[in-house]
Amino acid sequence: MEYNNKRVHQQVRNFERTLDGYHFQEPFSRYLTQFYKNNKQMGSSDRRMNSRYCYNVFRLGRAFEELALTERLAIAEFLCEGESAVVHEFKPEWINKNFTNLGDKNDFIKSLYGDFLDKVFPLADHLSSGIAKEEFISSHFVQPDLFIRLKRGSEATVKQELEQQGIAFVEAGPQTLALSNGINLQALKKIQGLFEVQDYSSQQSLNAIQTKANETWWDACAASGGKSLLLLDKFPHINLLVSDVRSSILRNLDERFDIAGIKKPFRKKILDLNNPVDHIMANERFDGLIIDAPCSGSGTWGRTPEMLSKFRMEELEKFANLQKRIVKHAVPYLKSGKSLIYITCSVYKEENEEVVSYIENELNLKLESMTSILGYDRKADSMFTAKFIKP
């Protein structure tokens, strides 16, 4: 490949300066936006390359921390990209190896530096059962796709508009499209409200649900409303309560519901399920309960790879304890014989199987099914879901 070596060295200096100012106090994407505002001399192509270099190094997690940053960058570019000027400039002996897959690249780096994958993903020995460890960890060297869920009945309209705009997509399911990252979906004004940005695995998380007309359901940790919108698209005949801990979250949910054209009234409450909520919930009872629990988000770190370097055991323990308290304080409002759907976007057993065991043994609900939704073979997130019946 042809490249300007002086420009490559300048881009590497930009990259080093960018990472030097980041201290994990905020999401890297937010930090990067401010960094570019403060460095307006950087052109668009330099910004794109700088972002690529930063995120690729984050994909190494805590592996190779003892090496110089430039060498870490060369390793990251080698593993994450098909071609890289950095590799040509700093590791020319690595080019023309004719590796056909990521596994071959991993083996090559391992032959030079020793085992490294366990250092990429934090607490790798805590993964849920059923996760292929090496395949899952290696998937973090590949940026996940952008997935959208098409509103029922709008599939043809959305696909036609994407085709007219020259936006390539792959049909991952009847209502699911996979697109390349970086597409400005907000510019597609004609089809706003006809699709939702939602990961492939997230779209599968409610597959165990069946409802009847006019049942009452509670999305107890609704956040921005992704699961509620999915639920209402599948079962528009239900009555829904959404709740979360902050009013600002529910305001965002209102805006999202409005764009999606949700006309049927739904109720909402500000609830902190970290504590008992008897004084607010009173005699409320529900035919179905969804708890998309606050969690580590470890199944989504392919999208926020800075978390690979940041996350620690004490945070995992904090999330697991919070999840148990939330379920404990929500279950009393579920009717006997009805379903609890427990969901995380975590791959850790402490947040998944161990919480399931707590719900079974301490809260006395009957486990009906338990599934890890593995996305690493399709450039998607990985999630976990379990369905319980309350006696």
Side-chain angles (χ1 to χ4, degrees):
M1 66 179 294
E2 294 183 3
Y3 66 94
N4 184 318
N5 69 327
K6 288 185 178 179
R7 189 173 187 188
V8 170
H9 282 269
Q10 179 59 52
Q11 289 172 337
V12 169
R13 286 194 293 272
N14 288 336
F15 150 77
E16 292 173 329
R17 189 161 56 90
T18 305
L19 287 193
D20 186 58
Y22 182 60
H23 304 295
F24 298 93
Q25 300 301 311
E26 59 187 335
F28 185 69
S29 59
R30 189 180 305 164
Y31 164 82
L32 204 54
T33 297
Q34 187 60 49
F35 181 86
Y36 291 147
K37 286 182 179 178
N38 296 337
N39 292 272
K40 295 181 179 179
Q41 76 280 2
M42 292 179 65
S44 59
S45 61
D46 284 338
R47 292 184 183 196
R48 284 195 299 272
M49 195 58 68
N50 187 57
S51 298
R52 165 178 149 173
Y53 289 172
C54 291
Y55 277 110
N56 281 349
V57 164
F58 282 136
R59 292 184 184 284
L60 296 179
R62 304 192 71 183
F64 313 111
E65 285 187 321
E66 72 283 1
L67 301 180
L69 190 53
T70 303
E71 187 163 4
R72 291 191 80 209
L73 174 60
I75 295 170
E77 284 282 294
F78 176 78
L79 291 173
C80 299
E81 303 293 339
E83 278 198 325
S84 171
V86 166
V87 176
H88 276 259
E89 182 66 15
F90 295 101
K91 294 290 182 180
E93 67 275 16
W94 292 0
I95 62 176
N96 299 322
K97 293 293 183 180
N98 297 317
F99 293 123
T100 58
N101 57 55
L102 182 56
D104 291 339
K105 288 186 175 183
N106 286 342
D107 289 341
F108 175 70
I109 294 299
K110 181 179 176 180
S111 71
L112 298 177
Y113 296 94
D115 291 334
F116 67 94
L117 284 179
D118 276 3
K119 295 180 182 178
V120 169
F121 197 84
L123 308 175
D125 56 339
H126 290 251
L127 293 176
S128 287
S129 60
I131 294 176
K133 181 177 174 181
E134 183 168 337
E135 185 179 353
F136 169 70
I137 295 175
S138 295
S139 73
H140 291 79
F141 301 142
V142 180
Q143 185 179 30
D145 280 338
L146 172 66
F147 291 90
I148 60 174
R149 177 178 58 80
L150 311 185
K151 187 176 180 179
R152 198 172 300 274
S154 301
E155 296 89 344
T157 302
V158 174
K159 286 186 278 190
Q160 182 180 26
E161 178 64 12
L162 292 175
E163 288 170 349
Q164 289 179 352
Q165 296 297 325
I167 297 174
F169 60 84
V170 174
E171 297 191 40
Q175 290 179 259
T176 309
L177 302 182
L179 297 81
S180 297
N181 277 280
I183 294 172
N184 182 13
L185 294 175
Q186 292 182 337
L188 302 174
K189 302 297 184 184
K190 290 176 63 175
I191 53 174
Q192 289 300 308
L194 301 184
F195 68 89
E196 296 291 332
V197 176
Q198 187 172 32
D199 182 76
Y200 176 87
S201 296
S202 182
Q203 294 184 42
Q204 314 310 309
S205 63
L206 303 186
N207 284 353
I209 290 180
Q210 294 295 326
T211 72
K212 297 178 182 178
N214 298 316
E215 282 189 340
T216 56
W217 279 72
W218 177 21
D219 186 352
C221 302
S224 61
K227 300 299 188 304
S228 289
L229 287 168
L230 175 62
L231 182 67
L232 289 172
D233 189 61
K234 290 166 69 74
F235 307 109
H237 52 264
I238 66 169
N239 299 305
L240 181 65
L241 170 69
V242 297
S243 68
D244 214 293
V245 69
R246 293 193 302 274
S247 59
S248 59
I249 293 175
L250 295 180
R251 283 196 297 271
N252 292 335
L253 181 148
D254 280 340
E255 293 176 9
R256 198 169 174 188
F257 273 38
D258 185 58
I259 293 172
I262 302 296
K263 302 299 183 184
K264 185 175 181 178
F266 63 93
R267 296 187 299 137
K268 58 184 179 180
K269 290 180 183 287
I270 300 171
L271 292 173
D272 181 5
L273 287 166
N274 192 31
N275 300 295
V277 291
D278 299 3
H279 60 297
I280 300 175
M281 294 298 283
N283 296 320
E284 294 265 18
R285 295 295 181 272
F286 298 92
D287 297 298
L289 171 59
I290 298 172
I291 297 180
D292 186 5
C295 69
S296 63
S298 48
T300 72
W301 288 346
R303 303 184 188 277
T304 55
E306 66 268 26
M307 291 298 298
L308 296 172
S309 304
K310 178 184 178 184
F311 196 73
R312 298 294 185 271
M313 185 67 200
E314 55 268 24
E315 296 176 86
L316 178 57
E317 294 170 347
K318 184 178 80 170
F319 277 119
N321 290 330
L322 173 61
Q323 290 148 9
K324 293 172 185 176
R325 289 195 298 271
I326 287 173
V327 177
K328 177 182 177 180
H329 295 144
V331 160
Y333 307 100
L334 181 64
K335 296 176 183 177
S336 295
K338 300 301 183 178
S339 300
L340 159 67
I341 308 297
Y342 175 78
I343 304 168
T344 74
C345 50
S346 172
V347 293
Y348 289 127
K349 59 186 178 183
E350 285 84 350
E351 300 180 283
N352 297 337
E353 292 94 335
E354 291 184 14
V355 175
V356 166
S357 179
Y358 169 82
I359 295 172
E360 282 190 289
N361 299 323
E362 300 298 325
L363 303 183
N364 300 314
L365 271 67
K366 180 182 177 182
L367 177 65
E368 189 168 276
S369 62
M370 179 172 64
T371 306
S372 288
I373 307 173
L374 305 179
Y376 49 81
D377 61 342
R378 57 170 69 243
K379 298 174 72 174
D381 299 339
S382 291
M383 301 186 66
F384 176 88
T385 183
K387 180 180 180 180
F388 299 88
I389 303 297
K390 184 177 181 180

